[in-house]
Structures are given as C-alpha cells and as structure tokens.
Amino acid sequence: MPATLAPPVSPPRIRKGAVWALGLLAAATGTLESVVAPTLPLLQRELSMSPAQGALLSIAMLITGALVAPVAGGLGDRHGGKRVMIRLMAVVAAGGLVSSAAPNLPVLLLGQVLQGAMVGAMPLSFILVRKHLPVGESQVAIGVVSGMFVGGGMLGTLIAGPIAEGLSRHWMFAVPTLAIVVATLSVHLLMPDDPPARSGGRIDWPGLVLLSGILLTLMLGLALAPDLGSRPLALGGLVLVLAAFVAGWTAVERRAASPMVDLRLLAKPAIWSSYLITFAVCAGTAVSMYLVPQLFAVSGDGYGFGAGSTDIGRYLLPGAVAAAISGPLGGAAVRRFGAGAAVTTGIGVMAATLAGLAILHTEVWHLVAGKALIALASGVCVTAMVVRTATSVEHGDTGTATSLVLVTRVIGFAAGAQVSGALLTSGTPSGSDVPAESAFVTGFVIAGAVTALSLLAVRTMSKGANK
C-alpha cells in the first residue's frame, strides 16, 4: 500500500536541556568513534595484528556507519526520531561493551561493526530538532549537535592514549560507552516523543540492499585505490559492479511504493548541489588532515620538522578546537547570513589557505594556522550543508536527506585520504622512504582546486528548496 502522510500534529516545543542532551549524546558517540585511531599501534601490539588487520580495524566502523546512516534516517522519518534513536543507541552501547571486553581481533571487529551504528544518531537528532523547534532555532541546534560530535572526537583523540596506557585498552572503550548510556537516558527523559511523519509504508528492503552494495563497492574501491592502477582488470570489475548496483537501485526506487530514497528528492538542485559541495569540501579537508601530520613528521634535516607523536598532537590541537566550534558557528552563520553566504565564505577561506600552504610550509606556525583555518572553514561549510539540506525538504524526508549528506562526507574523506596517500607514494624517490617536497605541494594545490571548483555549485543551492 502506498505510504500516506500522517495527520498534521504539532509536537511540543523542546527546552534547551533536550538540545543539550542531544549534544551530550553526540559528544559521547564522537569520543567512542575516535579512540581507535590514536591507539592503533598499541592495539596491534596487544592483539598481534598485522598492518593489514590494523587497516581493517580502522575502517570497520566507517563502513558500517555509511551503511547505517541512510537506513536510520529513513526509519526515523517513518517511525519517529526518538523511537529509532533509543533502539539504535542500544546497539551502539552493546558494541562498546563488546569492544571493551574483546579478548582478540574478531571480537573487537564485531564490537566496531556494532558501534558503527552511531553515525545514524546524527540524522535522527536533526529530525528531532527540526520537528520541535522553529527554523531559526533549529539551524543553531543542528550546529550545536554537529559541533559537539566533533568536540567529542577531539576529546577521544586526547584521552584514548592516557586511558589505554594508564588503565587498559578495555577502559578506553568502556568510559565513552558509559557516557553514551547516560546521554541516551537523558534524551529519553528530556526529549518528548515525536509523531511519525509518514505511516503505512513498508521498509524498502530491495532498495536498502542495493544501496548498501553501492556504498560497499565505493568504499572497497577507495580502500584499494593505490593498487588499482596496476590492476586494470580489478578496476574494470569494480566499475562494472558499481554501475550494476546503481542501475538496479535506480530501477527499484522508481518502482517502489514507499522508496527509502525518493529519487525526485535527489533531483532537486538544492539537494544534489549540497552533496556535491560536501564531497568536494571533505575531500579537500582530508588532504590537509593527511598531509599536514606527515609534513610535521618528515626529518628536520630536509624540508620537514622531525616531530614526534606528542609534538604532532600538540600542533594539531588548535585545528581540533577550531573544528569543534565550527558547528555552532556554522549554524549561527546560516541563520544570520544564509547558507549560500556561509558556504561561499568557507570555501573561499579554505581554498585560499590550501593554496597558501602549497607556497608557505617552512615554519611550524604556517601548518598550525593553516590546519586550524581549514578545519574551521570546512566545519562551517558542512554544517551549512546539513542545515540547508534539512530545511530544503519536507519534514518527512529530513532524516533521509541529511543522512546522505553524512554518507557523502564519509566518502569525501575517504577519497581525499586515498588520493593523498597515492600522491606521497608516487612522489617518493626510489630507494628512499621520504616523499619529495613537491608531492606535498601537488597535494595542497589539487585540494585547493577541487575545493574552489565547488563554488560552481553554490548558485544552485537556492533552486527548488522549501523555504
């Protein structure tokens, strides 16, 4: 039976405490998400992992998140954001407990796969704030939740090592998991129930399977990107598989009575332009995230600084702080100046900074300041895209539309990181393990150009949007 619109219901307006409960949950999930990266060497030693197994562990949660986000957003649109969020967080908490008790790699991988469901909490939060707050306040609230997630990631990066070394690796998973449980209870108590936006439609299982196939193929292609150039048959096979999944998914969604993703939604200029800009900005950001620490670590006898892990962490801290405040700043900027102005300014600052780093990277402060500016500008852009996407669709499509922004963000970061790695690999002279300085310059220039080109899509953002 075709999906029908539920009778209009005016949900109660929420207090600030409910918004901060969502922010606390975002911070806790961001903390849990980020504890593996800084402690990967320790985990490899304690669990006798090979480098390949370590790489698998580092992307397991990323892949799950890319798959779960659109599903969670769609279910939240259908059945209510709060209802789906509570159940999703139960899965995440179970994953955190499994990770904290894991005696070996297979169990830890299982825990990471379950934890990956946390990415779905973001579109569900956006559903709730949009239903319970007027447009201006919901824009700021979306920025607060986004910023708290980034701030949680910064906190997890800082505390993971000390907790793992001072207590054990088990506690670095257990502590943020307990925080997630507390935050989820706070959301349950403070956030009123939200009525489903749509009712009567069945879950589009064929569409979900095919969309999962598309995302898995993309992530696999990005993970294997450095080796695909020398394996044309593998590259051709991946392209064919991806094309088949896309064609099948498009056909299924067009015929589905209640599609998980309405293709008419994706055809709106305000929506597809948001996804395009998000991908370009995140790819450019990922290049700086990958290249700047590598440049700090290059021997000081050459063009680098010979910095150790502790020094690099200290150098990157201003950028992490800038990323944390970029969410609320982006939401406030959209409310006051509009999404177009916020995104245009952010892209301009980011492109200029990347070009500047290609020319000036001979002093530590060049890289510290540049990384902070990129983090701030990128965060403002992505938050503006989330806000713009959320307010450009009907209430019943908020979760689906914003979840795809988050998926695009993941793919953009993965693409930028893989391109950066390929550039440094190809730019390393034979017989040396130190990339040529020109490889870094090329990376910054490419990232700046890709970011600047996304300005071409900004004009389309105002077309076909719901005001």
Side-chain angles (χ1 to χ4, degrees):
M1 180 180 295
T4 58
L5 292 176
V9 178
S10 298
R13 180 169 173 166
I14 57 176
R15 298 180 181 273
K16 289 183 179 180
V19 176
W20 284 108
L22 290 175
L24 176 62
L25 181 59
T29 55
T31 303
L32 183 60
E33 181 192 52
S34 62
V35 296
V36 167
T39 58
L40 190 56
L42 180 147
L43 292 172
Q44 288 177 309
R45 288 195 308 270
E46 293 197 2
L47 298 177
S48 301
M49 288 190 289
S50 67
Q53 291 173 326
L56 176 61
L57 180 65
S58 66
I59 66 171
M61 189 161 48
L62 194 68
I63 294 174
T64 306
L67 298 177
V68 168
V71 177
L75 292 176
D77 286 332
R78 282 171 167 78
H79 305 293
K82 178 182 174 180
R83 178 183 178 186
V84 177
M85 177 178 283
I86 299 301
R87 288 160 174 75
L88 193 70
M89 288 301 102
V91 175
V92 175
L97 292 175
V98 170
S99 295
S100 66
N104 51 44
L105 178 60
V107 177
L108 182 56
L109 277 173
L110 173 61
Q112 292 297 290
V113 167
L114 294 174
Q115 285 177 214
M118 70 176 67
V119 179
M122 297 297 283
L124 296 173
S125 297
F126 303 151
I127 289 173
L128 290 170
V129 298
R130 194 178 177 209
K131 282 185 177 179
H132 292 291
L133 292 173
V135 173
E137 293 182 29
S138 68
Q139 291 171 343
V140 177
I142 288 173
V144 169
V145 173
S146 300
M148 293 287 280
F149 180 79
V150 176
M154 176 183 67
L155 178 63
T157 301
L158 293 175
I159 68 173
I163 290 178
E165 293 174 355
L167 297 174
S168 73
R169 61 178 172 85
H170 304 286
W171 281 102
M172 74 179 189
F173 295 108
V175 171
T177 298
L178 292 174
I180 286 176
V181 172
V182 171
T184 302
L185 290 174
S186 299
V187 171
H188 178 68
L189 294 174
L190 297 175
M191 180 67 65
D193 293 329
D194 57 312
R198 287 180 279 173
S199 61
R202 297 179 179 179
I203 296 177
D204 177 23
W205 291 113
L208 289 178
V209 172
L210 290 169
L211 180 59
S212 299
I214 292 172
L215 295 173
L216 281 173
T217 305
L218 279 173
M219 297 302 292
L220 178 62
L222 291 171
L224 299 177
D227 300 323
L228 288 178
S230 59
R231 302 168 63 184
L233 290 179
L235 175 60
L238 278 175
V239 171
L240 289 176
V241 170
L242 179 60
F245 275 128
V246 171
W249 179 70
T250 302
V252 167
E253 295 302 273
R254 283 178 174 173
R255 294 182 175 89
S258 181
M260 180 58 68
V261 178
D262 189 340
L263 296 183
R264 293 172 299 177
L265 178 71
L266 299 182
K268 295 175 67 173
I271 301 301
W272 67 255
S273 62
S274 295
Y275 298 153
L276 181 60
I277 293 168
T278 299
F279 175 83
V281 167
C282 290
T285 303
V287 171
S288 70
M289 291 175 63
Y290 186 92
L291 294 184
V292 169
Q294 298 285 338
L295 195 49
F296 278 134
V298 170
S299 173
D301 295 333
Y303 55 85
F305 304 94
S309 298
T310 301
D311 289 332
I312 292 175
R314 189 171 70 250
Y315 296 153
L316 295 179
L317 184 58
V321 174
I325 66 174
S326 66
L329 181 62
V334 172
R335 182 180 184 182
R336 180 161 185 174
F337 303 108
V343 173
T344 300
T345 302
I347 290 175
V349 171
M350 186 174 162
T353 304
L354 286 164
L357 286 177
I359 301 170
L360 292 175
H361 49 262
T362 55
E363 301 289 342
V364 168
W365 73 266
H366 293 163
L367 298 178
V368 171
K371 181 66 175 65
L373 281 174
I374 291 169
L376 183 65
S378 171
V380 168
C381 287
V382 174
T383 301
M385 289 299 90
V386 171
V387 171
R388 184 58 173 172
T389 302
T391 55
S392 296
V393 298
E394 301 295 339
H395 281 271
D397 293 317
T398 301
T400 300
T402 55
S403 67
L404 292 177
V405 174
L406 299 176
V407 171
T408 305
R409 177 178 176 269
V410 169
I411 295 173
F413 275 118
Q418 291 298 328
V419 168
S420 301
L423 285 173
L424 293 192
T425 299
S426 63
T428 302
S430 178
S432 172
D433 58 356
V434 178
E437 185 178 4
S438 59
F440 290 92
V441 173
T442 301
F444 288 131
V445 169
I446 291 176
V450 169
T451 303
L453 285 173
S454 66
L455 283 170
L456 298 175
V458 173
R459 288 187 177 183
T460 67
M461 285 171 48
S462 61
K463 298 179 182 178
N466 295 331
K467 303 299 182 184

